[in-house]
Amino acid sequence: MMNQYPGWKYALVLIVLVVGVFFALPNLYGEDPAVQISPGRGAEMNDAVQTQVEDRLAKLGLTPLSAALDGEQLLLRFSDVEKQLKAQDAVRELLGRRYVVALNLAPATPEWLLSAGALPMYRGLDLRGGVHFLMEVDMDGAIRQAESRYAGD
């Protein structure tokens, strides 16, 4: 004797699977290395700054895949991390301390998926490989502290 379910239950399972796969699609597209530029105090982000940055990068042969001015930030996407790092250095040198120039990973999800509300799942640093800290120790201070502790004992 076989277990028979009504047709609507099979249809419901199928619909849930299709919707789940659709909203999981953005995670398959990955991320592009990007440089994010935001204005600091007293600075303004506008088309002139974007043109200035793009011209400098073009002179260095670092043409971005795309450049998008979104409100108060400029996002430059690159094809690889090496170009991203070179572009960050060039933009920092060009704009100075008036702007914040940060490395970023921008989702490469197509616009049609984004407009449908399907966003990639953002992973934390622990899932991306963690964070590496470099801790510097003042050896002279540590030795003095240890000596004073031993002298007290």
Side-chain angles (χ1 to χ4, degrees):
M1 188 166 166
M2 262 180 78
N3 216 359
Q4 195 74 23
Y5 292 107
W8 67 268
K9 286 186 180 181
Y10 288 115
L12 182 64
V13 168
L14 183 65
I15 290 170
V16 168
L17 281 174
V18 168
V19 169
V21 167
F22 176 77
F23 281 102
L25 277 178
N27 297 309
L28 299 177
Y29 286 96
E31 298 167 321
D32 293 329
V35 174
Q36 180 178 333
I37 306 165
S38 304
R41 288 187 185 172
E44 187 177 310
M45 182 59 69
N46 54 33
D47 292 333
V49 174
Q50 180 178 353
T51 304
Q52 187 180 13
V53 168
E54 288 176 343
D55 289 346
R56 171 63 69 91
L57 293 176
K59 286 180 186 174
L60 297 172
L62 298 170
T63 307
L65 296 174
S66 70
L69 184 60
D70 182 27
E72 283 294 311
Q73 73 178 13
L74 175 62
L75 188 69
L76 305 166
R77 294 172 183 259
F78 294 92
S79 57
D80 59 59
V81 175
E82 185 178 326
K83 288 182 181 179
Q84 175 196 31
L85 295 173
K86 288 179 182 177
Q88 179 195 25
D89 293 338
V91 171
R92 271 202 181 132
E93 181 183 315
L94 173 69
L95 298 178
R97 297 171 84 50
R98 298 175 301 147
Y99 291 85
V100 177
V101 181
L103 297 176
N104 201 345
L105 289 172
T109 307
E111 189 59 41
W112 65 271
L113 269 175
L114 292 174
S115 63
L119 300 172
M121 183 170 61
Y122 296 104
R123 297 173 295 165
L125 290 175
D126 55 340
L127 296 175
R128 287 180 188 246
V131 179
H132 302 282
F133 290 103
L134 174 64
M135 189 164 99
E136 294 183 20
V137 177
D138 178 16
M139 288 303 294
D140 294 332
I143 291 171
R144 276 186 301 232
Q145 263 187 338
E147 287 174 348
S148 66
R149 218 179 15 238
Y150 291 136
D153 289 344

